[in-house]
Amino acid sequence: MELAVPQQIQDTPKTAPIRWCLYARKSSGQDERQALSIEQQIKEMELLADHWGIKIAEVRKESHSSKESGTRPVYNRLIKDIQLGYFNGIVTWAPDRLSRNAGDLGILVDLMDQGKLVEIRTHGQTFTNSPNEKFLLMILGSQAKLENDNRGLNVIRGLHNKAANGWRPGQAPIGYLNNGLGEEKIIIDEERSAVMGEMFERVAKQAYTGRDVKRWLDDIDFRSRQGKRIVLSHIYRTLQNPFYYGEFQYPKTDPKLHKGKHKPLITKQLFDEVQIQLTVVPK
């Protein structure tokens, strides 16, 4: 005798299978040094997928920061494919691989609310369209953003402290080298410093124009640390840079000059003479 199936069971929709995409990301930023490599993330998550008994339909990876929303091409394509129904599940090493900003985090939650993203699995948590699990996802994503924001503030503070201590942040101008060892952060580039000093002398004492300097540098085949010839605009920036007599601006928008601890290549008097020449001699 065949048993009758209750109508409410007959009407219950079958759960659609989840089509999984494995997403792995690591940027080259300072804050990503401790993160697993992309290949290691993929290896670990494929092992977990086997343990869970799920099949990865596709693996996508990219080397890009997640600090700003909408700036990751591979991730953006994944979101678009979820919206189109190609995937409805994501496997990734940790929530911060997906989002470290409010914009991307909101998109993930919206996709869950719409039923287009059924599940996110990481090595430590599973997130589905339940209030508690979405809340946890938002908390972890917000925590990653908070850590990222605080790290950025600490970097800015560190750079300002470095400037206040007499060392100009960033790449040293031509004629100098970034040392990075010991107390002396910026040292003289013995190969190029003499030419830089002579450049100022020629403008101040021989009324060289910027184009005269350019011809002279090309004649002696002078090149930057990267092996490139110095363009005219760079020559003028160099001639107007107070770093060469021992002071610098930081940031560039701040008119205040910091007293540098690096060794000057020229005197303040020579620098001032060059500025006078730049105002009276045609460029």
Side-chain angles (χ1 to χ4, degrees), residues 14-20 54-55 85-89 115-116 118-119:
K14 294 182 179 179
T15 302
I18 298 178
R19 183 171 169 81
W20 298 93
I54 66 175
K55 181 180 179 181
Y86 294 123
F87 303 108
N88 56 356
K116 294 181 178 180
V118 177
E119 192 171 324

Side-chain angles (χ1 to χ4, degrees), residues 24 29 53 65 100 111 126 162 176 186 203 212 214 230 234 254 268:
S65 173
R100 283 189 176 184
L111 288 172
T126 296
K162 184 177 181 180
Y176 290 89
I186 299 174
V203 174
D212 292 332
K214 169 68 174 162
I230 310 303
H234 192 171
D254 188 347
K268 176 67 162 59

Side-chain angles (χ1 to χ4, degrees), residues 90-241:
I90 300 175
V91 172
T92 192
W93 174 250
D96 65 359
R97 300 302 86 197
L98 298 176
S99 171
R100 283 189 176 184
N101 65 78
D104 288 341
L105 183 59
I107 290 173
L108 290 173
V109 174
D110 285 344
L111 288 172
M112 285 185 160
D113 289 339
Q114 297 165 18
K116 294 181 178 180
L117 179 57
V118 177
E119 192 171 324
I120 298 173
R121 289 202 186 191
T122 72
H123 80 284
Q125 294 99 5
T126 296
F127 307 97
T128 64
N129 188 25
S130 77
N132 288 340
E133 290 177 7
K134 286 188 294 186
F135 180 70
L136 178 59
L137 175 63
M138 294 177 69
I139 290 294
L140 294 174
S142 298
Q143 181 182 13
K145 174 171 170 50
L146 176 63
E147 292 173 354
N148 185 65
D149 290 348
N150 285 335
R151 191 178 293 112
L153 289 174
N154 289 336
V155 169
I156 292 173
R157 291 191 193 102
L159 293 176
H160 280 281
N161 287 337
K162 184 177 181 180
N165 288 329
W167 297 109
R168 176 181 176 271
Q171 186 177 29
I174 192 165
Y176 290 89
L177 298 170
N178 294 93
N179 185 20
L181 301 174
E183 174 61 24
E184 203 168 8
K185 311 293 184 186
I186 299 174
I187 60 175
I188 289 177
D189 181 353
E190 300 294 344
E191 183 181 346
R192 299 175 180 83
S193 58
V195 175
M196 290 292 99
E198 187 175 347
M199 181 174 72
F200 281 90
E201 290 282 351
R202 289 184 180 233
V203 174
K205 309 302 183 184
Q206 302 179 42
Y208 265 43
T209 66
R211 295 187 185 278
D212 292 332
V213 172
K214 169 68 174 162
R215 282 191 290 270
W216 168 62
L217 292 177
D218 288 347
D219 286 344
I220 64 174
D221 196 28
F222 182 80
R223 295 175 183 270
S224 69
R225 293 186 295 270
Q226 293 75 33
K228 297 180 180 179
R229 292 189 183 274
I230 310 303
V231 299
L232 188 60
S233 60
H234 192 171
I235 290 171
Y236 280 109
R237 288 198 302 273
T238 297
L239 291 171
Q240 296 170 333
N241 190 347

Side-chain angles (χ1 to χ4, degrees), residues 35-102:
L36 287 179
S37 69
I38 289 176
E39 297 308 319
Q40 189 64 30
Q41 291 176 44
I42 293 172
K43 179 180 178 181
E44 294 290 339
M45 296 316 294
E46 285 180 336
L47 288 173
L48 280 175
D50 287 341
H51 174 72
W52 293 327
I54 66 175
K55 181 180 179 181
I56 303 297
E58 191 172 329
V59 175
R60 296 188 182 181
K61 55 186 178 181
E62 67 183 331
S63 300
H64 208 292
S65 173
S66 64
K67 294 178 182 178
E68 297 181 9
S69 178
T71 59
R72 292 175 286 161
V74 175
Y75 181 79
N76 292 343
R77 184 67 253 177
L78 172 59
I79 294 299
K80 187 67 176 178
D81 287 344
I82 292 173
Q83 292 170 336
L84 294 173
Y86 294 123
F87 303 108
N88 56 356
I90 300 175
V91 172
T92 192
W93 174 250
D96 65 359
R97 300 302 86 197
L98 298 176
S99 171
R100 283 189 176 184
N101 65 78

